[in-house]
Amino acid sequence: MASRNSNAAFWSHKLYKNHEGKGPAIHFCTGFKQAEEQAQKFLNESVLGFDIEWEPYKKTSIKDHVSLIQIAAEDKIAIFHLARFPGESTDQLIPPSLRSILESEQTIKSGVNVAGDAKRILNHLEIEMKGLFELSHLYKIVHFSADQPHLVNKKMINLAAQVQKVLLLPLKKDEVRTSAWTRPLSSQQVEYSASDAYAGFRLFHALEAKRRKMDPVPPRPALYEKQEPLVLGDGSVRSGKLPVPPASKKEPVDVDEDAADEVFYDAVESQDSRGIDVDIVAGVPLAGLRITYPTLPPLDDYTPETAGQDGHVDIPKSRASATSTSTSPSSSTSSPSIPEADK
């Protein structure tokens, strides 16, 4: 059994391999031209995991407020280290293709408190994001509609709790999340930022698969900017303003999105998520009905310095393991397409 202090004890993008045994490619960008080249590879993606990082204490420039932008698709993750780009203006920091992704309503940006990240980008980069998808809304529709409809509201469930519940392993949250993001990144920071964005992508598809299997099938929650209520499978409407009974030990603590200020956006990850029941989801590692820590192959470290000129970082193949949990949680096929009728 892996130690709780080792990386093998936690969920990571490194757990996912394609049929060739390769994990998601990481494109690490520290310059404008490089960022434009890599962002172009994501233009045709319909769903992206999304996250940002910023300096937790020092906030004197645009780069302090938005230091990193991360996007993730099934086979690739891009990390745009804006804090290391030359220049200080939005035009110098955001290449055209990345701006197009951020502003596109056709490209879903999936995450937790994604509206908070979008507000930060609007305030400091003057870019109005569209296509925002709050995972907490879909999570509550899927997990509470049938037996606890009073819990279906627009309060947020933190990312770590959702990963542990749906993807079956805990997400590592330690001091790295409040580290300095304007300096050259360590391998731990790259791992953290890549996994957070990739979690947004994987959670979207895992929760969508669950929603489609519900009977009756509830509509998918609308994009955040639409400000529409949540609708259950029976057609009943749930707003985000309903009173919610105190959470029991088996209910993840949530936070009212309207009451959260900027300090909340990442600090919410420290919320207690103990006692969350675990669902079995096809295509993810099976850890049992209670959270356990399966023995996984060593995760080889990589650093941004290993990236080639195009920003690509090769993720080494994991050593063979006797346990099924160390094999690919993803299938060799691409992520499920999203029928127009479900949008």
Side-chain angles (χ1 to χ4, degrees):
M1 183 172 291
S3 166
R4 288 174 181 261
N5 295 320
S6 75
N7 284 337
F10 298 95
W11 185 91
S12 167
H13 67 279
K14 290 183 176 182
L15 293 173
Y16 294 80
K17 311 290 181 182
N18 63 16
H19 64 283
E20 296 177 345
K22 295 181 179 180
I26 294 180
H27 304 282
F28 186 84
C29 306
T30 56
F32 187 91
K33 181 179 178 181
Q34 181 189 47
E36 171 60 23
E37 291 173 354
Q38 301 312 317
Q40 288 178 7
K41 299 175 180 179
F42 293 80
L43 285 172
N44 294 325
E45 299 288 345
S46 58
V47 178
L48 293 173
F50 177 80
D51 195 24
I52 67 173
E53 308 294 342
W54 62 88
E55 282 290 325
Y57 307 113
K58 180 187 72 171
K59 292 183 175 66
T60 58
S61 71
I62 291 177
K63 294 178 179 180
D64 295 331
H65 288 280
V66 184
S67 307
L68 217 68
I69 295 178
Q70 308 104 271
I71 56 177
E74 182 178 42
D75 60 347
K76 53 187 173 288
I77 303 167
I79 300 176
F80 304 98
H81 197 184
L82 304 188
R84 308 301 295 174
F85 285 24
E88 292 290 336
S89 70
T90 297
D91 289 341
Q92 293 172 312
L93 299 177
I94 304 295
S97 292
L98 180 56
R99 178 188 281 270
S100 177
I101 290 169
L102 297 178
E103 294 178 335
S104 173
E105 186 175 323
Q106 282 66 51
T107 302
I108 290 175
K109 274 73 69 177
S110 171
V112 172
N113 196 24
V114 66
D117 291 343
K119 179 181 178 182
R120 182 176 285 269
I121 286 176
L122 177 62
N123 288 345
H124 302 290
L125 292 169
E126 298 181 341
I127 294 174
E128 184 174 3
M129 289 184 63
K130 294 181 180 179
L132 305 175
F133 190 85
E134 176 54 54
L135 285 168
S136 303
H137 300 170
L138 181 56
Y139 178 96
K140 291 195 171 187
I141 288 287
V142 167
H143 288 95
F144 302 142
S145 290
D147 301 322
Q148 299 173 295
H150 64 277
L151 292 179
V152 178
N153 54 58
K154 290 192 174 182
K155 292 185 178 182
M156 285 174 285
I157 301 290
N158 68 68
L159 181 65
Q162 293 192 48
V163 168
Q164 183 163 327
K165 170 77 173 179
V166 179
L167 303 180
L168 307 180
L169 283 173
L171 187 63
K172 190 172 185 179
K173 291 290 181 180
D174 52 21
E175 64 279 358
V176 70
R177 67 188 181 88
T178 55
S179 55
W181 292 100
T182 54
R183 300 174 184 174
L185 301 187
S186 66
S187 60
Q188 289 81 10
Q189 287 175 301
V190 172
E191 168 77 12
Y192 172 94
S193 56
S195 289
D196 269 17
Y198 200 66
F201 174 83
R202 284 292 172 186
L203 281 170
F204 178 90
H205 287 293
L207 289 169
E208 267 293 275
K210 286 176 170 288
R211 179 186 68 85
R212 293 177 186 178
K213 290 180 180 179
M214 296 175 70
D215 185 19
V217 179
R220 183 201 301 164
L223 296 175
Y224 184 91
E225 63 265 25
K226 302 293 186 182
Q227 288 295 298
E228 296 179 6
L230 304 179
V231 181
L232 305 186
D234 63 4
S236 60
V237 176
R238 312 295 291 183
S239 73
K241 305 300 182 181
L242 295 176
V244 180
S248 73
K249 292 183 179 179
K250 289 199 173 185
E251 295 165 1
V253 178
D254 51 16
V255 175
D256 191 333
E257 61 191 17
D258 293 326
D261 60 20
E262 283 195 350
V263 178
F264 155 81
Y265 297 156
D266 194 55
V268 70
E269 304 300 348
S270 64
Q271 293 172 2
D272 186 8
S273 59
R274 291 173 296 176
I276 298 175
D277 293 333
V278 178
D279 288 341
I280 306 251
V281 183
V284 298
L286 178 61
L289 295 180
R290 294 187 301 272
I291 287 296
T292 58
Y293 294 83
T295 302
L296 297 172
L299 300 177
D300 297 325
D301 282 338
Y302 57 89
T303 62
E305 287 73 19
T306 63
Q309 291 184 349
D310 67 346
H312 175 271
V313 179
D314 286 320
I315 301 176
K317 296 180 182 179
S318 299
R319 297 182 179 90
S321 171
T323 61
S324 62
T325 52
S326 65
T327 61
S328 170
S330 60
S331 66
S332 60
T333 59
S334 59
S335 297
S337 61
I338 303 170
E340 192 65 27
D342 280 339
K343 293 183 179 179

